[in-house]
């Protein structure tokens, strides 16, 4: 399953994240992880299973988001979502 979403906005944020290919997040789409994290941050979601979230992401080798850590992407998205919710 390859991610084919348009991530023009998220890619600009995700490209500054560290490279990371640990565990279940390997090759997963960091921009999807960012956007899901952002939505969870807006909602201040508290029951999160990050393993499930990462496992369900599409894969991406594309451009600026290639190999970016989906863990970092999710957590930055969550943070920005919380900030933007106020
Ligand atoms: Zn994606």
């Amino acid at each position: 399953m390859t991610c084919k979403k348009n991530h023009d906005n998220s890619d600009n944020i995700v490209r500054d994240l560290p490279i990371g290919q640990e565990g279940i997040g390997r090759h997963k789409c960091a921009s999807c992880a960012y956007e899901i994290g952002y939505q969870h941050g807006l909602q201040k979601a508290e029951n999160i299973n990050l393993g499930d979230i990462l496992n369900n992401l599409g894969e991406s080798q594309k451009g600026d988001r290639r190999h970016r850590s989906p863990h970092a992407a999710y957590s930055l998205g969550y943070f920005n979502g919380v900030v933007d919710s106020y």
Side-chain angles (χ1 to χ4, degrees):
M1 176 171 76
T2 301
C3 174
K4 297 210 168 66
K5 292 186 185 133
N6 181 314
H7 287 308
D8 287 348
N9 293 327
S10 305
D11 281 350
N12 283 329
I13 299 165
V14 166
R15 71 179 175 197
D16 292 328
L17 293 174
I19 300 286
Q21 300 193 73
E22 305 82 7
I24 208 164
R26 183 175 169 83
H27 293 173
K28 297 296 190 180
C29 178
S31 292
C32 278
Y34 176 84
E35 291 172 10
I36 292 167
Y38 184 80
Q39 290 303 319
H40 286 175
L42 283 178
Q43 300 158 14
K44 301 193 185 68
E46 292 173 342
N47 294 303
I48 295 161
N49 186 328
L50 189 58
D52 278 355
I53 292 167
L54 297 182
N55 197 33
N56 287 325
L57 293 177
E59 303 200 337
S60 182
Q61 297 286 323
K62 195 176 169 196
D64 290 337
R65 82 182 88 111
R66 181 181 160 90
H67 294 168
R68 299 297 154 181
S69 166
H71 298 84
Y74 178 89
S75 52
L76 179 63
Y78 193 101
F79 175 83
N80 286 341
V82 171
V83 169
D84 288 350
S85 76
Y86 291 112

